[in-house]
């Protein structure tokens, strides 16, 4: 075994520490064999908590073409889409809203202290190797405190290059073009650093432009007209620089620098009897740099250290007669300094203890009237204890993980009075077991968590409210997974089901009062639901295979704030009672083909469930054709997508029509 093979096995050993499987003695040839065995236990992780992982390369053959499209395939997740290629796309998990989901990129959380939600439209699948959504309590101890501070967490992981003795670099060039003026070139290049094939540096960039002027049908009573969306152009670019370094076999360092810029027109909602084109425009810039360090050098200890600086600018422009000079130009700037340290100790073969401590400093400024220049200091500490009893002979196990998160928030402003400081203790627990030799796994979890008001909710212009309480959320979940793998005709099969109950108290809502909106705590929401997923791979012959996946979600999310209210027990806005999707792919030596469908039941755009607020149900179908070709010095992949195959007009958000049938094609070269 050469030194690089030994290093690869050491990585498996390091990764297994996260689940409390490390042996008590030091490295030897015998111990490395044990690493291979315990490495299999990582495959059990998706079944031991409420999580869903998508490998991008595997998902692309099922017609997945974007980050938001991939998230729609995840149990419990919904995407709110404001239409068009450049429209805002945010994630909502189990009806809790986008502000209740933390988005993590390569181990470190993304942030937006202004409005608390992350636009997933700015991330490309070309730069991502996997996505993982964890809902509720997590049984992985090696996370930052910020990871434990949200009801759900979406983790995006970029790919790590690997090399052999002959090839020390990779290069990729891809061009995507499609309907409505879409042009999207992407390039990346990575190279081995030094003598180790595990050390690399990678640079990547992409550019996107589109006019976005897609047609739609406008119905006004008995009159139907064909219209075209206007003020929909977008131009954006994104670049990343990533480095992965193994300083020693037990110490690794990764670094990332990220920049994104976009200039997009905002089409606005479709309003009857108003053909005046919207003049709104939004320019965004975001830069961050981050470091992630891990050490497994000491026998019973694992250490993680994260650091990050984030800067973002948002520039809003609008033209209308209502403004004093006929236009408005609002500029918003935010900064964040973040640091995290995690230590995990293996107390015995069955017990592990971990502590994560985070510090975050946020600041915000704007040119809007009466900006108070807010700042926030956040200290979070998560103490976790895990018990794991595992039989290495048959893979049966029982685990229990408990976490207590302590949070302290100190608010400051340069003008006026600052909101009160806040501190909270948030507990969570997750139980998991595989009691039989068969592939059944069972899990149960509870998590009590909260969401602090964003800077917009506290301070924005004339309707911020400095006395807001955090939104409080309680999550209960029970679930089971059955999964098998074999060398027979059915290569793999898994089915999973989770039943859950959520409570949201002190819900922050915006309500109109005369000419000024107010933001207050007033809501109590009760959510009951069921998530089901199924995945299967069939070997139909030596050269052909079928891949099938399906998801179903039932969500009964009702407002129970006031028994005397007109909306008491009404379904909360934009939450369908039933939704689901499915994909079928056929791989063969000629042209691979996949079919997918996304089905969403009726919803309501306002708290009152009446006909005027109804958003119709819809089903969206798509077909993907793809082919990989291998040449002497490079590989090529050709891909074509037909989106919204049935030319269905529908809305995800009321009055924001989505595109009808459209086309997209790409060619990718890998060197």
């Amino acid at each position: 075994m050469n030194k690089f093979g030994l290093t690869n096995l050491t990585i498996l050993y390091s990764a297994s520490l996260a689940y409390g499987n490390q042996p008590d003695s030091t490295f030897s040839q015998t111990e490395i064999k044990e690493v291979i065995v315990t490495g299999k236990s990582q495959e059990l992780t998706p079944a031991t908590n409420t999580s869903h992982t998508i490998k991008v390369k595997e998902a692309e053959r099922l017609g997945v073409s974007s980050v938001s499209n991939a998230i729609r395939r995840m149990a419990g997740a919904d995407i709110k889409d404001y239409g068009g290629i450049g429209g805002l796309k945010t994630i909502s998990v189990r009806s809790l809203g986008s502000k209740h989901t933390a988005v993590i990129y390569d181990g470190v959380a993304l942030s937006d202290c202004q409005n608390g939600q992350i636009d997933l439209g700015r991330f490309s699948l070309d730069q991502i190797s996997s996505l993982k959504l964890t809902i509720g309590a997590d049984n992985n101890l090696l996370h930052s405190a910020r990871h434990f501070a949200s009801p759900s967490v979406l983790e995006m992981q970029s790919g790590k290059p690997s090399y052999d003795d002959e090839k020390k670099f990779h290069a990729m060039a891809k061009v995507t073009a499609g309907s409505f003026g879409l042009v999207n070139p992407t390039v990346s290049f990575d190279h081995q650093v030094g003598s180790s094939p595990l050390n690399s540096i990678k640079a990547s960039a992409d550019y996107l432009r589109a006019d976005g002027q897609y047609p739609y049908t406008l119905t006004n009573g008995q009159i139907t007209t064909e219209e075209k969306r206007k003020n929909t152009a977008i131009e954006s670019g994104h670049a990343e620089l990533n480095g992965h370094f193994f300083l020693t076999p037990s110490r690794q360092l990764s670094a990332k620098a990220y920049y994104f810029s976009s200039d997009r027109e905002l089409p606005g909602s479709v309003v009857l009897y108003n053909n005046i084109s919207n003049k709104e425009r939004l320019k965004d810039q975001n830069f961050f740099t981050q470091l992630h360090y891990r050490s497994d050098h000491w026998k019973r200890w694992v250490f993680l250290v994260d650091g990050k600086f984030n800067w973002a600018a948002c520039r809003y422009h609008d033209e209308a007669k209502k403004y004093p000079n006929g236009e408005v130009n609002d500029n918003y700037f935010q900064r964040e300094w973040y640091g995290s340290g995690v230590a995990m100790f293996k107390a015995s073969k069955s017990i592990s203890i971990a502590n994560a401590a985070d510090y975050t400093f946020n600041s915000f400024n704007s040119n809007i009237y009466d900006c108070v220049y807010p700042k926030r200091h956040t200290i979070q500490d998560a103490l976790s204890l895990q018990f794991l009893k595992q039989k290495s002979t048959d893979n049966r196990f029982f685990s229990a993980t408990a976490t207590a998160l302590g949070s302290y928030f100190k608010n400051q402003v340069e003008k006026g009075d600052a909101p009160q400081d806040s501190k909270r203790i948030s507990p969570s627990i997750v139980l998991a077991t595989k009691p039989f030799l068969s592939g059944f796994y069972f899990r149960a979890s509870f998590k009590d968590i909260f969401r602090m008001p964003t800077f917009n909710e506290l301070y924005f212009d004339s309707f911020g409210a400095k006395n807001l309480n955090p939104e409080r959320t309680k999550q209960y979940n029970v679930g089971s997974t059955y999964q098998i793998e074999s060398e027979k005709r059915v290569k793999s099969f898994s089915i999973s089901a989770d039943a859950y109950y959520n409570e949201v108290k002190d819900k922050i809502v915006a309500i109109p009062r005369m000419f000024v909106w107010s933001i207050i705590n007033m809501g109590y929401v009760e959510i009951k639901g069921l998530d089901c997923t199924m995945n299967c791979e069939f070997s139909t012959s030596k050269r052909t295979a079928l891949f099938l996946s399906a998801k179903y979600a039932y969500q009964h999310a009702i407002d129970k704030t006031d028994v005397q209210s007109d909306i008491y027990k009404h379904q909360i806005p934009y939450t369908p009672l039933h939704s689901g999707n499915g994909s079928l792919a056929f791989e063969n030596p000629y042209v691979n083909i996949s079919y997918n469908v996304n089905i969403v039941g009726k919803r309501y755009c306002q708290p009152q469930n009446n006909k005027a607020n109804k958003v119709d149900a819809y089903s969206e179908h798509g077909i993907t054709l793809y082919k990989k070709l291998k040449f002497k010095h490079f590989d090529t992949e050709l891909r074509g997508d037909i989106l919204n195959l049935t030319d269905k007009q529908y809305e995800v958000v009321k009055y924001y029509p989505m595109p009808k049938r459209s086309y997209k094609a790409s060619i990718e070269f890998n060197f």
Side-chain angles (χ1 to χ4, degrees):
M1 179 179 295
N2 60 35
K3 64 178 180 179
F4 299 135
L6 177 62
T7 305
N8 277 310
L9 290 175
T10 304
I11 298 169
L12 289 176
Y13 174 91
S14 300
S16 70
L17 297 178
Y19 308 104
N21 293 327
Q22 70 270 40
D24 290 335
S25 57
T26 56
F27 288 118
S28 71
Q29 290 288 346
T30 303
E31 296 300 336
I32 292 175
K33 291 180 181 179
E34 290 182 8
V35 171
I36 296 174
V37 173
T38 58
K40 293 180 180 179
S41 68
Q42 296 180 70
E43 300 173 4
L44 309 182
T45 306
T48 56
N49 59 10
T50 308
S51 65
H52 189 174
T53 301
I54 290 180
K55 301 295 184 182
V56 170
K57 287 303 180 183
E58 296 176 4
E60 285 179 341
R61 63 190 181 191
L62 293 173
V64 171
S65 58
S66 66
V67 172
S68 59
N69 187 250
I71 292 171
R72 285 192 179 99
R73 313 295 178 94
M74 293 179 162
D78 294 309
I79 291 291
K80 185 175 287 187
D81 193 328
Y82 288 82
I85 297 169
L88 180 69
K89 295 170 177 59
T90 59
I91 180 175
S92 176
V93 177
R94 292 183 174 177
S95 305
L96 294 177
S98 59
K99 298 173 185 178
H100 284 277
T101 300
V103 181
I104 292 177
Y105 195 17
D106 283 349
V108 184
L110 303 171
S111 63
D112 190 321
C113 64
Q114 182 181 356
N115 58 47
Q117 55 189 13
I118 303 298
D119 180 10
L120 297 171
R122 64 175 58 182
F123 298 97
S124 170
L125 280 184
D126 294 316
Q127 312 303 331
I128 297 172
S129 63
S130 67
L131 299 110
K132 179 182 178 182
L133 178 66
T134 302
I135 304 174
D138 196 338
N139 59 6
N140 187 346
L141 304 187
L142 283 173
H143 284 309
S144 66
R146 183 183 278 189
H147 184 104
F148 294 101
S150 294
S152 58
V153 177
L154 174 67
E155 298 176 73
M156 301 185 296
Q157 185 69 48
S158 60
K160 295 181 180 180
S162 60
Y163 308 95
D164 54 38
D165 293 336
E166 297 180 357
K167 191 172 183 179
K168 307 298 183 184
F169 75 93
H170 301 102
M172 185 273 284
K174 179 179 179 181
V175 176
T176 302
S179 303
F180 321 124
L182 171 66
V183 178
N184 179 205
T186 302
V187 294
S188 69
F189 177 81
D190 62 76
H191 199 286
Q192 179 177 318
V193 177
S195 59
S196 172
L198 299 174
N199 294 341
S200 65
I201 188 167
K202 179 178 180 180
S204 58
D206 63 72
Y207 168 80
L208 183 146
R209 62 88 51 206
D211 57 50
Q213 295 186 11
Y214 55 87
Y216 68 97
T217 301
L218 178 64
T219 301
N220 183 5
Q222 300 297 320
I223 302 174
T224 299
T225 59
E226 296 300 321
E227 307 288 342
K228 183 173 284 190
R229 286 293 259 165
K230 300 178 181 179
N231 201 61
T232 54
I234 180 173
E235 187 173 8
S236 68
H238 149 252
E240 286 187 34
L241 183 64
N242 292 280
H244 301 284
F245 310 99
F246 277 78
L247 309 179
T248 69
S250 58
R251 295 189 179 100
Q252 52 184 292
L253 174 70
S254 61
K256 177 187 290 290
Y258 171 99
Y259 178 75
F260 172 84
S261 177
S262 71
D263 183 358
R264 54 184 156 187
E265 298 172 334
L266 304 179
S269 59
V270 173
V271 182
L272 298 177
Y273 309 110
N274 184 0
N275 294 322
I276 299 175
S277 177
N278 203 46
K279 300 291 185 180
E280 292 177 287
R281 196 179 196 100
L282 189 67
K283 295 183 179 181
D284 287 302
Q285 290 176 285
N286 181 213
F287 168 79
F288 67 79
T289 181
Q290 65 187 44
L291 291 171
H292 176 79
Y293 172 78
R294 173 170 177 156
S295 173
D296 303 278
H297 181 71
W298 291 275
K299 183 172 60 174
R300 293 177 176 266
W301 289 89
V302 183
F303 295 96
L304 299 180
V305 178
D306 294 327
K308 181 175 183 177
F309 170 73
N310 180 77
W311 174 88
C314 178
R315 297 174 173 89
Y316 172 79
H317 171 81
D318 190 19
E319 299 175 13
K321 293 181 180 180
K322 62 182 179 180
Y323 303 121
N325 298 318
E327 66 177 21
V328 63
N329 292 283
D330 292 338
N331 300 322
Y332 309 90
F333 303 92
Q334 56 176 294
R335 289 154 298 278
E336 177 179 280
W337 294 92
Y338 169 75
S340 173
V342 183
M344 190 185 80
F345 175 64
K346 178 67 175 176
S348 68
K349 290 184 177 180
S350 301
I351 297 176
S352 298
I353 304 170
N355 190 79
D358 291 13
Y359 169 74
T360 309
F361 172 72
N362 296 103
S363 63
F364 175 80
N365 66 285
S366 171
N367 68 339
I368 63 173
Y369 172 74
D370 207 23
C371 177
V372 299
Y373 301 95
K375 298 179 177 65
R376 176 180 287 167
H377 300 265
T378 304
I379 298 175
Q380 295 170 306
D381 190 273
L383 180 62
S384 301
L385 176 65
Q386 183 177 83
F387 173 81
L388 173 62
K389 190 68 174 179
Q390 186 172 19
K391 292 187 176 181
S392 58
T393 55
D394 54 22
N395 254 349
R396 288 185 290 173
F397 72 91
F398 171 81
S399 71
T401 306
T403 301
L405 172 69
S407 304
Y408 173 72
F409 301 88
K410 181 174 180 59
N411 296 298
Q412 297 175 325
V413 296
E414 293 187 11
K415 297 180 180 179
D417 298 325
Q420 289 186 349
D421 298 338
S422 181
K423 54 186 177 181
R424 300 269 174 169
I425 300 292
S426 306
S428 64
I429 186 169
V430 55
L431 307 175
T433 184
K434 181 179 183 292
F436 314 120
L437 293 177
S438 60
F440 281 101
Y441 303 83
F442 301 93
R443 57 188 170 270
S445 64
F446 165 77
K447 189 171 188 177
D448 186 344
I449 203 65
F450 65 96
R451 179 184 74 83
M452 284 295 293
T454 66
F455 282 178
N456 272 359
E457 292 166 337
L458 290 171
Y459 310 108
F460 190 78
D461 205 1
S462 57
F463 59 85
K466 296 181 181 180
N467 60 346
L468 287 175
N469 294 320
E471 287 186 353
R472 295 174 293 160
T473 303
K474 290 184 178 180
Q475 300 171 278
Y476 304 85
N477 188 96
V478 293
S480 179
T481 294
Y482 176 73
Q483 60 184 32
I484 57 170
E485 293 186 3
S486 73
E487 299 298 325
K488 299 180 181 179
R489 185 171 295 274
V490 179
K491 304 290 289 183
S492 65
F493 175 80
S494 68
I495 186 168
S496 179
D498 283 271
Y500 61 89
Y501 173 77
N502 297 338
E503 291 181 341
V504 183
K505 297 180 180 179
D506 282 335
K507 188 170 179 61
I508 299 173
V509 296
I511 60 173
R513 290 185 173 177
M514 297 299 288
F515 302 105
V516 179
W517 285 62
S518 297
I519 299 180
I520 63 172
N521 290 112
M522 65 168 293
Y524 172 69
V525 175
E526 185 180 84
I527 306 167
K528 300 175 183 178
L530 176 67
D531 291 331
C532 298
T533 61
M534 186 274 292
N535 293 278
C536 190
E537 177 183 350
F538 297 91
S539 177
T540 51
S541 72
K542 291 183 178 180
R543 303 177 66 191
T544 61
L546 278 174
F547 301 88
L548 176 65
S549 70
K551 160 195 158 182
Y552 168 75
Y554 169 81
Q555 297 181 84
H556 186 248
I558 57 176
D559 189 309
K560 299 185 72 174
T561 304
D562 183 2
V563 69
Q564 303 297 327
S565 171
D566 292 338
I567 62 173
Y568 183 70
K569 289 191 176 182
H570 282 216
Q571 190 85 344
I572 65 175
Y574 291 109
T575 302
L577 195 63
H578 304 280
S579 63
N581 56 57
S583 298
L584 177 64
F586 176 56
E587 289 195 342
N588 58 82
Y590 308 106
V591 177
N592 303 310
I593 183 170
S594 67
Y595 162 79
N596 61 82
V597 60
N598 188 47
I599 303 172
V600 178
K602 68 178 181 180
R603 297 136 290 143
Y604 298 91
C605 66
Q606 297 292 335
Q608 193 167 23
N609 295 176
N610 56 31
K611 186 177 180 180
N613 295 330
K614 180 183 174 184
V615 183
D616 291 333
Y618 69 89
S619 62
E620 181 190 16
H621 305 255
I623 288 182
T624 298
L625 302 174
Y626 57 100
K627 175 69 174 178
K628 293 184 179 180
L629 303 171
K630 292 185 177 294
F631 297 94
K632 184 176 181 180
H633 298 295
F634 63 91
D635 298 336
T636 301
E637 181 173 339
L638 304 173
R639 180 184 173 105
D641 294 274
I642 305 176
L643 310 175
N644 199 354
L645 180 66
T646 58
D647 208 28
K648 173 76 173 180
Q649 179 166 310
Y650 66 94
E651 296 172 329
V652 177
V653 177
K654 186 76 168 177
Y655 307 121
Y656 286 81
M658 298 292 289
K660 294 184 179 181
R661 186 186 299 120
S662 62
Y663 305 89
K664 188 164 63 173
S666 67
I667 180 169
E668 179 180 333
F669 299 93
N670 288 281
F671 301 90

